Amino acid sequence: MPTSQVCVMAVGGYGRKQLCPQSDLDIMLLHSEKIEVTKIAESLWYPIWDAGISLDHSVRSLNQVVELAQANVQVFLGLLNARFVVGDQNLAQVAISTIYQIWNKTAYRHLDELGEMFKTRQDKFGEIAFLLEPDLKESRGGLRDVHSLEALLLLLGSETIPTYESFQEAFKILLSSRVELHKRSGRHLDRLLLQEQDGVAKDLNFQNADDLMLQVSKAGRAISWFGDELWRKTLTKYRKDFSRFSIKNTKKPYKKEFLGVLVWIQYGEAELDDSTDFSDPCLILKLAVFAAQNRLSLSHKSLRSLFKYSPPMPEKWPIQAKDLLVELLGIGPDSLAIFEALDQSELLVRILPEWEFVRSKPQRNAYHRFTVDRHLCETVSRASKATSKVKRPDLLLFGSWLHDLGKGLPGDHSVVGAQMIQEIGTRIGFNDSDINTLVKLVRHHLLLADVATRRDLDDPATVEKVAELVEDSETLQLLNFLTEADAIATGPSAWGPWKARLVDELVYKTQKVIEGHSLDTSFGLDLDPYLEQMSKREVFLNCVKNVGDTITVIVIAPDRTGLLAKVAGTFALQGLNVHSANAAAKEGMAVEIFEVEPSQGISCETATLKEFLLEVLRGEVALDARLEQIAVAHSNWRRPQSALSVEEKVELDNISSEVATIVEVRAQDRPGTLYRITSALSNCQVDVKSAKVSTLGNEVIDSFYITEIENGKILDPNKQALIKSVVLSCI
């Protein structure tokens, strides 16, 4: 290759000397317009292709490089990492110098486009910190963000950002994880898949995959937080419009006083005055409340000063500290960024040392959107909307904020969390009565949702048990709003009209019991409304649309062994997800009432569904074979939903209901589960009176109220053992 007027330059990851094992080799052949380079290019590219190396190549003159960079910011970013490899070194240096000069002079023109790129990646790939299988390169807080932020650093200088060292450490964690991911998978894979996480953790000497994902989450959050600060400083330097970043565009600083603290405000930041007395243990909370109320960010300079000089909260909190924390928790969504800033600057653990147990702790399942700490902040943000509806908003806020704190320690998180909040409540300054309420909120924060979706609310014993645990109306009201906030903050599949309606029904009935009223319900399906249709002795089916996405399907048919199972199988093949079922029979006719939700894109038409059910009842449809085909296909294409496999088990409960035995089944979610379980129960010669189906990500928790054929609980130990064995074998 000639050594003048042409050179090979490494760009992108190759230029940064950060090439991962399966990454493309990014090469640019730079030349003077006076030289013909076609043969030179072919002599370079073909040997690389022949070696099986993935190549991203280009041939450019210096003028073409300049034109392309100015036209495409993505190309510009890659060229900022250009590095000389071989050939005319002077030409390479001219190119590198030219690119840097142009970037420093014209970067401000590209800031809007660069900001849009950040937003587009986040919308498409999510946040690396909160994903079950994050894309180490493209997700928010990932390697692509790092490379873009490094371009901004060229404009400011890394010395202007004191947290640059932590930014580099976070980057190293993601880069090393990507390198090992490429090694293990043997392909260009940037998504840290569940099946690769254990191996990558081992290769990087982490204790386990949980530890790896904890560090990946922390790294992603650190990079995102660093990036927000870097963007703020960049926009400040170039006096860009801040409105699209939700930052107040105040160019001249002005001051405000809040609770005796002087705060300066500029470019959407709240910064403590240099005369601030840092001996006040409430200072952190004062600044946090002021910033959240005014939709301001916290100055990194002030956060570093608070970390360095502010004292820990005393063992017995000042009354003002408790009031300030209540105020911060009640602000709502505007407090989320403040909590993140306090966490990133390690000030939140100074306020609440127990927070360390849940910091960036991944839940590692698709059911939960967020890490434990972020979930707690999201929950209290949601709960803040209900503070005007309860007598004690402070208890609702504290209970919501700390309800899952026990997940940071071994054991049942509800039990562990209840113990923790008793100690925390005492320290913060709640009285014994309030602490007792907080303990109940944390201990029973899953009670309403679990009972509503897994138990028959027409069984008086169910409601009476809830009333016994809750004890009073005030706690019931607080639990109601906490339940909704917790579910909405968990993820899109954790709350919906069906669950909301069931929880409302349970709360209403529980309140009646607490007030001393008797329930006007009796266990079992009332057949009176269906007697006329039953007298026709024929198959009847009708679909009734409910509020929300659910549909009530009424089936009346001649009673026969396994009828409930056949109907459940019909629904499964028609793409209908069953939430609940009730059944009863009289004089040879059965009535079955289902609440179903169609899968996406599926319609539920009465005529079509009835015709298919008739085919099933006539034996014209091979239910078992077709459901097995769907289940196999489902397992082949569906992405894993959790890092932990489901512990399949079957439990019988003869205490919770006075009239029926409850069979609770935990199993992996796959098509036809309800059909298989009801078929198994039918084979055990029992009647299924009602069923509740609850899906939590990749796990289903189904509850069945069963009796002997002639009614009565299943009391024979041998038959109980048979039921457990048969049902367990079918799931």
Side-chain angles (χ1 to χ4, degrees), residues 390-646:
V390 296
K391 295 180 181 178
R392 291 297 304 273
D394 56 336
L395 298 182
L396 173 62
L397 294 170
F398 269 98
S400 299
W401 189 44
L402 301 180
H403 72 278
D404 272 348
L405 197 62
K407 285 187 175 180
L409 295 172
D412 183 330
H413 77 279
S414 298
V415 176
V416 173
Q419 297 169 346
M420 295 173 75
I421 204 168
Q422 185 160 15
E423 299 173 5
I424 294 169
T426 301
R427 184 196 317 151
I428 290 176
F430 286 102
N431 60 39
D432 290 344
S433 175
D434 290 346
I435 290 172
N436 180 55
T437 300
L438 287 171
V439 168
K440 284 192 290 184
L441 289 180
V442 174
R443 178 66 184 88
H444 300 304
H445 70 269
L446 298 175
L447 177 66
L448 297 183
D450 283 354
V451 171
T453 57
R454 301 178 194 173
R455 293 294 181 263
D456 193 320
L457 302 187
D458 287 332
D459 188 346
T462 295
V463 182
E464 289 165 3
K465 180 63 177 178
V466 173
E468 179 185 335
L469 292 172
V470 172
E471 297 183 312
D472 59 83
S473 298
E474 183 177 294
T475 302
L476 178 64
Q477 183 188 49
L478 293 171
L479 269 179
N480 186 20
F481 289 112
L482 170 54
T483 298
E484 180 176 352
D486 182 21
I488 293 174
T490 294
S493 63
W495 191 254
W498 173 72
K499 183 179 284 189
R501 179 162 47 81
L502 289 178
V503 170
D504 286 346
E505 181 183 347
L506 176 58
V507 169
Y508 173 79
K509 291 181 175 180
T510 303
Q511 178 62 32
K512 287 291 186 182
V513 172
I514 290 175
E515 292 172 352
H517 301 292
S518 59
L519 296 175
D520 296 329
T521 59
S522 58
F523 180 71
L525 182 62
D526 181 12
L527 293 178
D528 288 347
Y530 311 105
L531 291 177
E532 182 179 350
Q533 185 63 47
M534 292 169 65
S535 67
K536 298 179 182 179
R537 317 296 294 181
E538 61 185 24
V539 175
F540 170 85
L541 185 147
N542 188 39
C543 300
V544 180
K545 184 75 169 64
N546 300 321
V547 176
D549 298 325
T550 63
I551 296 171
T552 297
V553 183
I554 303 167
V555 177
I556 300 175
D559 196 14
R560 58 193 291 184
T561 301
L563 176 63
L564 182 64
K566 291 183 183 298
V567 177
T570 298
F571 292 165
L573 288 178
Q574 291 293 302
L576 303 177
N577 302 309
V578 177
H579 286 313
S580 66
N582 285 281
K586 183 177 182 180
E587 298 177 355
M589 290 297 292
V591 178
E592 297 176 351
I593 312 295
F594 295 84
E595 188 157 2
V596 305
E597 184 176 350
S599 301
Q600 188 172 5
I602 301 294
S603 62
C604 185
E605 302 294 338
T606 296
T608 302
L609 191 58
K610 179 180 178 181
E611 181 58 35
F612 191 74
L613 175 60
L614 289 171
E615 292 177 9
V616 170
L617 295 178
R618 291 195 298 263
E620 298 171 3
V621 179
L623 279 177
D624 292 280
R626 290 188 54 179
L627 285 170
E628 185 59 29
Q629 287 178 340
I630 294 175
V632 170
H634 178 269
S635 63
N636 287 338
W637 63 258
R638 188 181 186 187
R639 297 290 315 142
Q641 299 291 295
S642 175
L644 300 176
S645 58
V646 176

Side-chain angles (χ1 to χ4, degrees), residues 63-118:
N63 287 336
Q64 288 174 331
V65 167
V66 172
E67 291 175 4
L68 191 59
Q70 291 178 322
N72 188 317
V73 70
Q74 187 68 53
V75 173
F76 214 151
L77 295 178
L79 291 171
L80 287 171
N81 304 123
R83 176 172 56 86
F84 170 73
V85 177
V86 68
D88 189 338
Q89 190 166 5
N90 289 332
L91 179 62
Q93 290 302 324
V94 169
I96 293 172
S97 176
T98 301
I99 289 297
Y100 273 73
Q101 289 175 15
I102 295 173
W103 178 252
N104 285 322
K105 290 180 181 179
T106 66
Y108 69 93
R109 300 176 185 171
H110 301 284
L111 293 181
D112 285 343
E113 185 181 355
L114 193 58
E116 190 61 35
M117 286 167 52
F118 273 88

